[in-house]
Amino acid sequence: MNTATETTIVIRGRCVVPGVAEGEALVTTQPISGWGGVDPRNGTVIETRHELRGQSFAGKVLVFPGAKGSSGWSAQFHVARLMGTAPAAWLFNQMTTKVALGTVVSHAPAMTDFDRDPLEVIRTGDWVKVDADNGIVTITRK
Amino acid sequence: MRLTDAEKAMRDGAEGAAVAKAMDLLIRYGEALGAEALVETRNVCGTVTATTPFLRDFAIQKGGLDAVFSEFNLDSQDVVVTPKVKAFSSHLQLGFDPHHPVEMGVSEEIVQFYKKSEAAAAKMGVQILNTCTPYQVGNVPTRGEHLAWMESSAVVFANSALGARTNTEGRESTSCAMLTQRIPDWGFHRDEGRRGTLGVHLDIPVESVEDWGLFGYWMGDWVQERVPVVTGVRQVPNLPKLKHFGAAASSSGGVEMYHLVGVTPEANTLEQAFGGNKASEVRHYGARERAATLERINANGTDRKVDYVMLGCPHYTIEQIWEAAQLLEGRKVHANSALWIFTPRAIKEIATRNGYTAIIEAAGGKIMTDSCSAMSRAVPPGTQVVALDSAKQAHYLPAILGLQAWFGTTAQCIDAACTGQWNAA
């Protein structure tokens, strides 16, 4: 890694699910559906017309506006955790019961209520460390 | 989050391991939401049975149905013994109708696994209603009653038409509420979460079940998760109309609550519905919006040969089955088409006593229970084109099963079943 061209950005937010994890960012400006929207067997978005359709969120730091769709949202990501396809961490803007319960049962660190909009600061492919315990997100871009 | 002494005792194990796990999940969930406390609930609708090969294999490998309930309902890796529920608890719809395994494409082995799971749920004290419309069959919440319900069409009906209070819960949170009589005090449990934030005025009469579905589909697409206040309702809608309206609005958007001024319980006046909020925007629904919505729902219908007609999303009322039976009496479902009608088990029993099941079966149709085509992903073999009187089902079936869908009135759908053709616009 060429550290000379590397930039680091830090944003702060509120802990939703405690824990620390890091991974490559997967960013979407479109809300995510659970039931009918993702396939937990392979950890991909399957919703017709979604910009992430066919892409895998397994082990990624998923950066998205929030949850939409059926009340089966949590159950889909619960199964994803058991199949090893859940995201490594979650960063989102809009709090709902769907996203709260779904991130809790995923057991992966999650944050919201940021001082800067993560959808504007983070790009797909950035390396992101989520320290939900201390409310700190560290973004590294090559 | 603030906890009462009773809640702390549950968390610390005073009522057993399963209740402690349930309280632990509710605390983690409430803190994730940013809730300040839990609220008492004695009315829970959720899903505790197991219907899939994945859960069957999990049960075999990890320690039976207690292991399934621990993991998938309590979010606990420790296997705890499943106790009886404390709250009045109702079971929602399933992934298939166990009375029609052949049509649903499920093996006898899975039906037997489900039956064990249903018996275990009944032993817990869960009412086996098996419907997306618990408010039709013994669970009508009262105004102000705090609920923990999942199923978006039931949530929007309970909040809006009945004035009860619930968020859209999930499998784990409802199960934990069944054991503890608690749910996070957040969102629609609180006065401030229930007030309108934007307005809709009806420029045209909205009267039939089809009208209400189209209006709901248009409204949900615009308002998404916000709370709309509707003015200009000229004819008071009945149960099938509001059932269809809310289901449509919670499919195209995430509407969990609406107000109809002069109709719904928290909207005697416009001022009451907004509760001090200013409308961020007001839009009009007129003939142009109605026509555009119908065109949008029917956008992927090109082939007019109809293979399958599905009625009963959300589950049909006895009034709707009566209507379908009258439309079908003396006619036959076309040889190249099929008709399935979905309703709660208890309503099928009434339909049978009234002779409607016999009329529908004599015509070649079927009344099914417990599920629907979207939940089960089951349609008659070879189906490519479906006709529906539900905007919600027309939203989901093309996406889930890749079918062409036609949306229209119940009469148009029955006509399509009997002629094998979509003859409406």
Side-chain angles (χ1 to χ4, degrees), chain B residues 135-157:
Chain B
Y135 50 84
Q136 290 206 77
V137 284
N139 189 346
V140 187
T142 52
R143 182 174 173 188
E145 185 178 4
H146 290 279
L147 321 175
W149 282 22
M150 62 187 287
E151 170 50 38
S152 61
S153 71
V155 165
V156 66
F157 189 87

Side-chain angles (χ1 to χ4, degrees), chain B residues 148-272:
Chain B
W149 282 22
M150 62 187 287
E151 170 50 38
S152 61
S153 71
V155 165
V156 66
F157 189 87
N159 274 326
S160 313
L162 303 176
R165 298 184 170 217
T166 181
N167 294 308
T168 302
E169 296 297 341
R171 180 176 179 123
E172 301 87 353
S173 59
T174 49
S175 296
C176 293
M178 289 176 186
L179 303 191
T180 61
Q181 297 184 327
R182 296 293 190 286
I183 201 73
D185 187 10
W186 190 85
F188 293 102
H189 290 285
R190 305 187 62 79
D191 290 344
E192 61 271 22
R194 304 178 63 79
R195 294 170 186 147
T197 56
L198 71 182
V200 178
H201 186 76
L202 297 178
D203 289 345
I204 53 172
V206 173
E207 291 175 352
S208 67
V209 172
E210 183 196 30
D211 287 343
W212 280 97
L214 287 169
F215 173 46
Y217 200 75
W218 173 86
M219 187 181 80
D221 186 47
W222 173 43
V223 311
Q224 292 297 312
E225 279 83 23
R226 295 172 293 178
V227 180
V229 177
V230 180
T231 52
V233 178
R234 297 177 217 184
Q235 186 192 76
V236 174
N238 65 2
L239 169 60
K241 293 169 189 176
L242 288 187
K243 173 169 72 73
H244 190 199
F245 176 58
S250 62
S251 304
S252 58
V255 179
E256 293 173 66
M257 177 149 196
Y258 59 80
H259 298 280
L260 306 179
V261 175
V263 178
T264 55
E266 290 167 56
N268 287 321
T269 63
L270 192 69
E271 292 69 31
Q272 187 196 9

Side-chain angles (χ1 to χ4, degrees), chain A residues 39-44 56-60 75-90 105-108, chain B residues 54 58 62 71-72:
Chain A
D39 186 345
R41 288 171 298 187
N42 52 21
T44 58
S56 171
F57 48 73
K60 305 269 177 70
Q76 291 292 307
F77 288 103
H78 195 145
V79 171
R81 166 169 60 80
L82 294 167
M83 293 191 162
T85 65
W90 312 79
V105 302
S106 81
H107 298 183
Chain B
F54 177 70
F58 191 91
K62 306 278 180 166
E71 177 64 63
F72 293 94

